[in-house]
Amino acid sequence: MEVPAKTGSFAELYVASQAHLLQPTADNPQPTAVPPPIAATAGTLGVRHVLTLIGLPERGKPFIALRLSKYLSFFHGAEVQLFNLNDYLRHGPPDSLENANDLLGDLATFMGGSSQTAARNMSPCRSNPSRVEHGFTPDAAEEESSELLIDENDRRRKNVDSGKVAIIYCTDSFAAFKHRFSGTSKERRRWAVETLESESEVEKLIFIEVIVDRNDILTANLLAKQRADTAEITRRLSELSGEASELGGEASELTELTHKTVTDFNTRVTQYKRMYVSLQGDGSEDDLSYMKLINYGQKVVTNRMHGYLRMRIAQFLTVIHPMPHSIYLTRHGESEYNALGKLGGNPPLTRAGEEYARRLAAWVPPNMWLPPSGQEGAFVKCRLWTSSLQR
């Protein structure tokens, strides 16, 4: 078993096998201070979570589910699967036990199956395709895996399993309201917790309630939905007629809600509120793990969200939002390694690189600190994200 290296002030951040990456060499006299991350430090090894998104209609729950799944998969290596409750309404009324068992069966299959990420990490052939070209067969890879004591079912082994996360949500809140896994009442939440506790593969069920009470955010959500609906109608008309419809050009330009959209929205939300029960703060649900995401990060309430992955989920959701934002990407100016044709390291900028930085700083204010629509002179500064490297 590898132990943390003892070199430098970042000794806790890497294992001994990576120590050479931090040592100056003739080819890399200015190495980085921290080596690349490894799966063993991802913090999600073998852990199974189920996340259930709840809240009133048109709060962006499908959007959050999709973004959260991509975040957990890309940044933490977790294997994530989305479960839409509207796909589990095939047997009688929505609250039937058969519908619940359908979802429970698929959850068990997903949680209990071998990790695809683990399989990719463990196969010597996959990790080095050139070995296949030179006659290193899959059988030989399996034999080598056995010799290295790599067991894909051992979730405690590093570089094996970065955890699994199932995200339950719905695209039609009304149709799925009474589904037993919908979490729309205290009784349904309690039933879901007790049911999943009997599943040994599931570590924790977490409820994420999306609460939006700001009219500007709700308007933005409805506008986005109206544009999407208009674009979909345009696409279908185009398919039927075989010609591009003029309506398509208007979809992205819609800036006002129609009266019908507002009326339908208010009617639906009023009806839903009469039945929906929010997560309770009176102590009756203090044993549950949950988050209340209020106005997309304006305020966040967490309860029993202990653990690495749960805190990363909370951190990510505090900055997520459905409103459009402009993002500008730029590379750093030319570094000394760039001039030499080298990659990596932590070299300083060349004179050309410093000049690029000065010109970029002069370009940003008049081109990016743009005032909000309809406001003159109220410039808004941008948020800059950069690495800690000297380039």
Side-chain angles (χ1 to χ4, degrees):
M1 179 178 180
E2 293 175 314
V3 297
K6 302 298 183 181
T7 303
S9 59
F10 297 96
E12 300 297 328
L13 300 179
Y14 59 92
V15 292
S17 62
Q18 292 185 321
H20 68 284
L21 298 176
L22 281 73
Q23 304 303 320
T25 64
D27 292 330
N28 185 17
Q30 295 172 313
T32 57
V34 180
I38 59 175
T41 61
T44 60
L45 297 177
V47 179
R48 269 60 171 155
H49 287 90
V50 176
L51 312 180
T52 299
L53 287 158
I54 63 175
L56 297 178
E58 310 300 349
R59 264 57 181 177
K61 297 186 290 292
F63 168 84
I64 293 175
L66 180 61
R67 288 298 179 89
L68 185 57
S69 69
K70 292 183 176 180
Y71 165 74
L72 294 174
S73 176
F74 184 83
F75 286 100
H76 296 285
E79 193 168 337
V80 186
Q81 185 167 326
L82 297 172
F83 294 86
N84 187 346
L85 286 178
N86 297 104
D87 295 333
Y88 296 91
L89 301 174
R90 297 184 287 266
H91 305 289
D95 61 347
S96 69
L97 187 59
E98 290 82 359
N99 287 329
N101 285 336
D102 274 358
L103 176 56
L104 188 61
D106 285 353
L107 284 173
T109 300
F110 170 64
M111 293 295 187
S114 60
S115 171
Q116 296 178 10
T117 304
R120 287 194 297 269
N121 286 339
M122 288 185 308
S123 171
C125 278
R126 291 175 183 266
S127 62
N128 189 352
S130 64
R131 303 175 74 182
V132 179
E133 298 175 2
H134 291 84
F136 194 75
T137 64
D139 291 338
E142 183 176 354
E143 183 178 350
E144 181 173 319
S145 296
S146 301
E147 293 175 357
L148 295 175
L149 300 178
I150 300 176
D151 180 5
E152 71 172 1
N153 295 316
D154 183 0
R155 298 200 304 271
R156 297 168 297 177
R157 183 176 292 278
K158 64 183 179 180
N159 291 322
V160 172
D161 189 346
S162 294
K164 290 190 176 185
V165 180
I167 302 179
I168 300 175
Y169 72 105
C170 61
T171 49
D172 186 342
S173 300
F174 274 91
F177 182 88
K178 293 186 178 181
H179 194 287
R180 298 194 181 200
F181 277 102
S182 65
T184 52
S185 69
K186 292 177 64 174
E187 292 77 11
R188 294 185 186 98
R189 290 192 287 270
R190 185 63 57 184
W191 182 89
V193 169
E194 293 175 352
T195 300
L196 289 179
E197 281 181 350
S198 63
E199 297 293 323
S200 59
E201 292 289 345
V202 178
E203 175 75 13
K204 181 68 69 174
L205 170 61
I206 301 172
F207 295 100
I208 301 173
E209 184 172 18
V210 184
I211 302 172
V212 179
D213 54 20
R214 279 175 44 186
N215 287 332
D216 60 326
I217 297 179
L218 292 175
T219 300
N221 284 354
L222 290 174
L223 272 172
K225 180 177 177 62
Q226 186 170 286
R227 292 190 191 103
D229 291 344
T230 302
E232 178 63 17
I233 293 173
T234 302
R235 185 187 64 80
R236 293 183 180 182
L237 289 174
S238 299
E239 290 178 352
L240 291 174
S241 64
E243 299 178 357
S245 171
E246 294 181 358
L247 188 60
E250 301 175 0
S252 61
E253 300 172 4
L254 291 173
T255 58
E256 294 184 2
L257 294 171
T258 64
H259 177 72
K260 182 178 184 303
T261 300
V262 175
T263 302
D264 290 348
F265 170 73
N266 289 333
T267 301
R268 286 169 60 86
V269 171
T270 299
Q271 294 175 351
Y272 202 89
K273 281 182 177 179
R274 294 172 180 170
M275 303 180 291
Y276 178 73
V277 180
S278 178
L279 286 163
Q280 301 297 293
D282 57 4
S284 60
E285 293 187 299
D286 282 357
D287 60 316
L288 304 183
S289 291
Y290 66 77
M291 281 185 60
K292 287 189 176 184
L293 186 65
I294 303 171
N295 293 327
Y296 302 114
Q298 178 180 337
K299 181 179 180 181
V300 178
V301 178
T302 64
N303 185 73
R304 298 181 69 86
M305 290 287 288
H306 310 297
Y308 178 85
L309 186 62
R310 297 168 210 170
M311 293 309 298
R312 297 288 75 76
I313 291 172
Q315 184 181 44
F316 174 74
L317 291 179
T318 59
V319 297
I320 195 173
H321 53 76
M323 290 78 73
H325 280 60
S326 296
I327 299 177
Y328 296 82
L329 302 177
T330 178
R331 287 201 62 187
H332 57 79
E334 183 186 55
S335 71
E336 292 182 357
Y337 274 22
N338 291 148
L340 296 173
K342 294 182 179 181
L343 298 176
N346 187 22
L349 296 175
T350 63
R351 289 186 178 181
E354 292 176 352
E355 179 61 23
Y356 174 82
R358 283 190 290 268
R359 293 189 184 187
L360 178 64
W363 180 87
V364 166
N367 292 279
M368 295 175 58
W369 295 2
L370 303 179
S373 178
Q375 299 183 25
E376 295 295 334
F379 290 99
V380 178
K381 291 185 177 181
C382 301
R383 179 172 296 170
L384 173 66
W385 291 88
T386 182
S387 74
S388 58
L389 300 177
Q390 59 179 329
R391 59 176 179 263

